[in-house]
Amino acid sequence: AQTYQNLEIIISDNASPDPAVEILCREIANADSRVRYVRQSQNLGPMPNFEFVLQAASADYFLWAADDDWIEPSFVQTCMDAHAAAETATVLVTPEAWYETPDGADFPYFAEGEALRQSLADTMENRVASVIRHGFGNLIYGVFKRPALFHRGQPLTQWIGRTHNELPFFALAAAKGQILSLPTPLWHKRAPAHVCRSAQWEREGGWKSLGPGLLRPRHIFVSQRKYHRDLGMEITQAVRDSDLLAYEQDRVIAVAQHTIWRHWRVTAIGWKPSITSPASAKPMASA
């Protein structure tokens, strides 16, 4: 139903146990020549499945889409128009998202990409440092220039480690060009309520849903510390693999270490000041 019709749609059925999934997808593929359906013989896991559709695609631009989310009809056209209008090399354009709970109920709207509304910076180093400071997971569901999704011949998803955090991915993407977040929400992310609340807290601050950190079990502190330590190592590896000069890599890694330490601290405490201006009213999506 996209207003932008020149699409190649690849469905990777990651070994769904529900036979109705295959029946429905094959019906869609048979009815629309733009759709190609692939049934995986076994569950590949999330990152290999992401890589499969990326490797199978042939277009110049690329969009990942999760099966439990949905996008407005103008999503792709809006992103393509923004790519065409960009004054500098842009590798990713993504609109804002509405969050919804699994039953389809709207979660109070909040903006995630306010810090990425304009070109991040005029140098590779500053772009990478900026996306490490301000990146968020939903960026991965925007429209990419497909060549920018590869580094040294490998998909950027190869740099997403066991933390499943996308910041190493975005660090390498930002090294290739600008990342731009559009203010209009044009897609709907369906997630459990606690995921919605956590994403909102990341943008708006205040007390985290679990309350003050001192009231939490010790194992939560330990797991959070390990997660942030592992993420720091993953970002460091990505930055070291980038085309930044050695001294630029050192500076970006210092930014990453400070950002991760600060995030671990506020997560452990369970409170953080607001880092963006919260949007209290849900904007209207474009027709």
Side-chain angles (χ1 to χ4, degrees):
Q2 290 295 301
T3 57
Y4 188 93
Q5 289 286 294
N6 187 21
L7 301 174
E8 173 190 43
I9 303 170
I10 302 169
I11 303 173
S12 176
D13 179 351
N14 203 8
S16 171
D18 185 354
V21 172
E22 182 173 1
I23 294 172
L24 175 62
C25 291
R26 291 197 184 280
E27 288 178 352
I28 294 171
N30 290 336
D32 192 330
S33 61
R34 299 175 302 169
V35 180
R36 177 153 59 100
Y37 170 70
V38 179
R39 164 81 181 181
Q40 303 296 343
S41 60
Q42 60 183 2
N43 192 305
L44 305 177
M47 287 304 105
N49 202 40
F50 269 52
E51 291 173 12
F52 175 85
V53 291
L54 174 61
Q55 298 277 22
S58 61
D60 294 330
Y61 291 83
F62 182 85
L63 162 69
W64 275 297
D67 65 351
D68 55 348
D69 303 329
W70 64 280
I71 59 179
E72 296 284 343
S74 59
F75 183 104
V76 175
Q77 184 68 65
T78 301
C79 291
M80 294 299 290
D81 290 345
H83 271 292
E87 296 180 356
T88 56
T90 300
V91 298
L92 168 62
V93 173
T94 186
E96 291 281 0
W98 284 299
Y99 279 75
E100 299 176 354
T101 54
D103 59 0
D106 287 342
F107 192 79
Y109 177 77
F110 59 95
E112 292 184 284
E114 291 179 340
L116 307 179
R117 294 284 186 258
Q118 305 294 327
S119 295
L120 290 177
D122 57 354
T123 68
M124 183 189 302
E125 178 187 348
N126 289 337
R127 290 198 309 269
V128 175
S130 295
V131 80
I132 289 173
R133 289 191 186 100
H134 305 298
F136 54 98
N138 287 337
L139 280 174
I140 204 166
Y141 292 113
V143 174
F144 292 85
K145 287 182 178 175
R146 186 170 174 272
L149 287 169
F150 294 86
H151 183 65
R152 309 201 192 288
Q154 297 297 318
L156 294 189
T157 46
Q158 292 284 322
W159 281 265
I160 297 179
R162 58 187 175 184
T163 66
H164 285 179
N165 191 295
E166 296 93 347
L167 280 179
F169 171 104
F170 292 132
L172 287 172
K176 300 174 186 298
Q178 301 288 351
I179 292 175
L180 181 63
S181 175
L182 305 179
T184 306
L186 293 177
W187 71 285
H188 303 254
K189 180 177 180 64
R190 189 161 292 182
H194 75 275
V195 173
C196 299
R197 289 194 298 268
S198 180
Q200 183 182 37
W201 177 78
E202 291 286 356
R203 295 299 113 186
E204 297 184 358
W207 285 112
K208 200 170 174 66
S209 58
L210 291 176
L214 296 177
L215 302 180
R216 300 181 196 176
R218 182 177 181 276
H219 75 271
I220 294 181
F221 285 98
V222 174
S223 64
Q224 288 173 347
R225 182 173 60 188
K226 182 178 184 302
Y227 172 86
H228 286 82
R229 182 193 64 202
D230 290 347
L231 175 58
M233 291 189 294
E234 292 169 5
I235 294 175
T236 296
Q237 179 183 356
V239 172
R240 291 300 185 199
D241 286 341
S242 74
D243 293 330
L244 290 167
L245 299 175
Y247 70 90
E248 294 173 325
Q249 294 177 5
D250 292 341
R251 291 196 296 235
V252 170
I253 289 170
V255 168
Q257 290 174 340
H258 175 74
T259 301
I260 292 169
W261 174 83
R262 183 179 59 192
H263 188 267
W264 177 82
R265 182 184 63 182
V266 299
T267 302
I269 295 171
W271 181 87
K272 67 188 293 188
S274 175
I275 59 173
T276 61
S277 301
S280 57
K282 176 189 287 189
M284 295 296 294
S286 61

